[in-house]
Amino acid sequence: MAGLLAAVFVLLAAGSALAVWPQPQHLSQSPEGGCGLSADRFRFAYAECSAVSPGCEVLDQAFRRYWELLFPGRGIGESKDSPCDVLNVNVTQPGCDGYPSLDSSENYQLTISDELMLLTADTVWGALRGLETFSQLAWKDNGMLYINKTKVVDFPRFRHRGLLLDTSRHYLPLEAILKTLDAMAYTKLNVFHWHIVDDPSFPYQSTAFPDLSRKGAYNPFTHVYTAVDVKMVLEYARLRGIRVIPEFDTPGHTLSWGPGVPGLLTPCYVGSKASGSYGPVNPILNTTYKFMSEFFAEISSVFPDVYVHLGGDEVDFTCWRSNAEIQTFMRKKGFGQDYAKLESFYIQRLLDIVSSYGKDCVVWQEVFDNAVKVKPDTIIHVWKQDSGRYPNETARVTKAGYQALLSAPWYLNYISYGQDWIGIYLVEPLEFEGSVQQKDLVIGGEACMWGEYVDVTNLSPRLWPRAGAVAERLWSNRTVRNLQDAYRRLADFRCMLLRRGIRAQPLFTGYCEHEYDSV
């Protein structure tokens, strides 16, 4: 480790051989052969046999984006149709208008030779991943752009590779979210977990319940996400092959819901007198479930992904214990003093409501720990660090037959001096005792950026390039673990992020040929 920290690396301004991030499954290059890429002649094109063709918005827009990344500030020229002037893209499966899903193929193959430049993918989502790899393989010398003779066969190790943003504790402007989606696409992350509301504020502007944001947002005019904003995020993400999974966490973390929906939260008591404060969602009232049914009907129609994250974590039972009506309800149900059973009662009813709209659910691990009966396809999100004991939780979840999603070691809001990306990078999601069948149930993981001390001023440099360490662990082969090679490629990738307008903090000493332009 000391040798790594003391090493001096020259940070290149453009991609170099074998410097792709995340590392592809199979990549071979030759210094002989390849192509010079000219802004006057180069273009992307649909292969003649492709199942999708011009008019496919996902690829039409991707072609424009990646051309501009390769040749910033240049106008698109006309191809002379020589082998080095066209990257032909062949998508073998039809379909361009939908949204990516958990089961979408992201496989692709890329061939660069003197006679041919061809990208082949099962789907448009795989083609997007291949275009990103192509853009990183191009390198510059004396103002000219080159790409070596290359063969890539690539696919993700895990299907779910996500990033959580918390937009409640600090409101994140729309532009910051869109920039984050760009950077996610550069690292091949494919799920934006939008933790959109929480105790401090309710910035989601509901059409059915406008008072939620009107009375629960920091500012109902400037610190909200309108229906237009949400649609923009969904479409921006779709065009980059990124799913959007919203999280509306209940019954805890709901103080911002209370002002907009009177009677939703539990009144707290001191002795026999109301204290004037409120606790979690009141689970004993029929009006609670009527509201949840109407609210999640809207959420199910607005967000197209089949999954909704329902939270279910960190429920404080103190207020429930203080409330005489809840105590009476507990006795009638035979729950005794076990308030985890009351929480389970609520969560079970909520799961049934959301399932009735054809949605599947993701929940934090407490829902599983409290033995709530959930559908077999529910995803259990493992988040508790517990001094490194999260592998035991993953083993329990998968032994019970549920799909698991890992975030416990990847809370990027925690920072330390030095190269903390290394610990993030060395995590192995499948390092727990369990059968092959259990490990097949680990569908991936998410980096989390909670917002207590993060807003638009420090979001991007705190995320990048550290989130890239998570991205490679979830995409690349398990054997890709060489720290010196990873440092070289990640430092190179960080420079590429700066060149593309992403504020990414340095890994160590050194410089980038193209430093971040703050103007």
Side-chain angles (χ1 to χ4, degrees):
M1 189 73 70
L4 174 66
L5 295 175
V8 177
F9 292 89
V10 177
L11 305 188
L12 305 177
S16 59
L18 301 177
V20 179
W21 194 277
Q23 179 71 54
Q25 300 290 340
H26 305 283
L27 186 153
S28 60
Q29 285 191 317
S30 170
E32 299 179 0
C35 285
L37 306 179
S38 168
D40 296 328
R41 299 188 304 273
F42 177 79
R43 66 184 173 92
F44 298 101
Y46 295 86
E48 289 185 5
C49 57
S50 177
V52 299
S53 56
C56 170
E57 189 176 18
V58 171
L59 289 187
D60 287 350
Q61 291 206 23
F63 290 168
R64 286 193 287 271
R65 287 199 311 274
Y66 280 103
W67 198 96
E68 291 167 0
L69 290 174
L70 290 168
F71 308 105
R74 297 292 300 273
I76 297 177
E78 295 184 5
S79 171
K80 307 301 182 183
D81 289 330
S82 68
C84 288
D85 291 336
V86 183
L87 175 64
N88 284 293
V89 178
N90 177 29
V91 178
T92 62
Q93 297 177 12
C96 197
D97 298 327
Y99 289 83
S101 71
L102 180 62
D103 297 322
S104 293
S105 170
E106 296 174 283
N107 302 1
Y108 69 92
Q109 296 185 36
L110 179 63
T111 301
I112 308 294
S113 70
D114 297 329
E115 297 80 29
L116 177 71
M117 290 204 300
L118 177 65
L119 170 61
T120 300
D122 296 338
T123 66
V124 291
W125 319 120
L128 292 176
R129 308 301 172 233
L131 289 170
E132 178 58 41
T133 296
F134 178 84
S135 74
Q136 292 188 31
L137 285 168
W139 55 279
K140 188 177 291 186
D141 184 41
N142 291 326
M144 296 295 294
L145 203 59
Y146 301 92
I147 189 164
N148 291 356
K149 183 178 180 180
T150 306
K151 178 69 175 180
V152 178
V153 178
D154 202 11
F155 51 87
R157 183 182 174 203
F158 292 100
R159 295 177 291 161
H160 185 124
R161 307 177 308 282
L163 174 62
L164 177 151
L165 289 187
D166 170 8
T167 59
S168 172
R169 291 174 175 87
H170 284 98
Y171 174 82
L172 295 177
L174 183 63
E175 183 63 29
I177 294 175
L178 301 184
K179 274 282 190 181
T180 301
L181 291 170
D182 281 330
M184 289 176 65
Y186 302 153
T187 58
K188 299 184 173 72
L189 290 172
N190 69 347
V191 179
F192 171 38
H193 175 171
W194 196 352
H195 187 88
I196 193 167
V197 303
D198 208 296
D199 278 331
S201 73
F202 198 104
Y204 172 77
Q205 196 173 76
S206 167
T207 56
F209 300 96
D211 277 351
L212 281 167
S213 60
R214 189 177 298 152
K215 297 180 179 180
Y218 286 135
N219 185 302
F221 303 104
T222 61
H223 287 59
V224 294
Y225 302 107
T226 67
V228 173
D229 293 336
V230 172
K231 287 180 180 178
M232 182 176 292
V233 169
L234 291 169
E235 183 63 6
Y236 201 90
R238 184 185 80 90
L239 292 172
R240 287 152 183 79
I242 297 171
R243 301 163 56 206
V244 179
I245 296 181
E247 180 183 354
F248 291 89
D249 190 1
T250 66
H253 293 283
T254 49
L255 291 182
S256 66
W257 302 51
V261 187
L264 179 65
L265 302 186
T266 304
C268 306
Y269 286 78
V270 176
S272 60
K273 294 184 178 180
S275 67
S277 61
Y278 293 87
V281 165
N282 193 329
I284 70 172
L285 302 178
N286 288 333
T287 53
T288 292
Y289 301 102
K290 182 178 184 296
F291 163 77
M292 290 297 174
S293 182
E294 294 176 8
F295 180 72
F296 279 101
E298 175 184 328
I299 298 307
S300 299
S301 65
V302 169
F303 292 91
D305 200 89
V306 72
Y307 281 97
V308 176
H309 203 304
L310 297 181
D313 65 316
E314 297 184 318
V315 181
D316 186 347
F317 299 147
T318 305
C319 185
W320 282 353
R321 288 192 183 100
S322 74
N323 186 293
E325 292 182 353
I326 287 183
Q327 293 171 13
T328 300
F329 184 86
M330 293 279 287
R331 287 193 295 271
K332 288 181 178 179
K333 288 292 184 181
F335 292 164
Q337 293 298 307
D338 188 353
Y339 285 84
K341 290 182 179 178
L342 180 59
E343 179 189 2
S344 297
F345 172 83
Y346 167 81
I347 292 288
Q348 183 63 65
R349 290 194 64 176
L350 181 63
L351 288 169
D352 290 343
I353 288 170
V354 175
S355 296
S356 72
Y357 297 118
K359 294 290 188 179
D360 293 325
C361 303
V362 188
V363 293
W364 295 111
Q365 70 182 69
E366 287 94 325
V367 174
F368 169 79
D369 294 340
N370 292 336
V372 177
K373 294 179 181 178
V374 298
K375 290 171 58 179
D377 52 4
T378 300
I379 296 172
I380 309 300
H381 200 160
V382 177
W383 73 273
K384 290 187 176 182
Q385 289 82 15
D386 289 341
S387 301
R389 289 179 289 181
Y390 62 84
N392 295 332
E393 180 76 6
T394 307
R396 288 192 294 271
V397 168
T398 54
K399 188 174 182 179
Y402 294 110
Q403 297 178 102
L405 190 62
L406 182 64
S407 280
W410 292 323
Y411 271 41
L412 302 187
N413 46 295
Y414 295 134
I415 56 175
S416 61
Y417 189 79
Q419 300 197 53
D420 62 351
W421 69 271
I422 294 173
I424 295 167
Y425 185 78
L426 290 177
V427 170
E428 173 43 54
L430 301 188
E431 200 168 277
F432 62 89
E433 293 186 7
S435 65
V436 173
Q437 290 76 17
Q438 282 180 251
K439 296 185 178 185
D440 286 343
L441 289 171
V442 179
I443 62 170
E446 291 183 354
C448 296
M449 184 56 73
W450 297 100
E452 289 88 348
Y453 302 98
V454 176
D455 66 5
V456 69
T457 65
N458 62 345
L459 171 69
S460 186
R462 189 169 290 195
L463 270 178
W464 309 107
R466 296 161 74 232
V470 182
E472 178 151 295
R473 183 55 52 229
L474 294 173
W475 179 281
S476 303
N477 191 283
R478 180 173 182 166
T479 60
V480 177
R481 302 182 70 83
N482 183 292
L483 286 178
Q484 187 167 344
D485 174 69
Y487 181 98
R488 178 183 66 84
R489 289 185 297 106
L490 188 58
D492 183 73
F493 179 72
R494 182 252 173 177
C495 288
M496 187 203 76
L497 290 177
L498 296 185
R499 195 170 66 252
R500 294 182 177 185
I502 303 296
R503 292 178 180 267
Q505 69 181 21
L507 297 179
F508 193 45
T509 60
Y511 73 99
C512 293
E513 185 174 315
H514 184 107
E515 298 287 7
Y516 184 80
D517 185 359
S518 60
V519 178

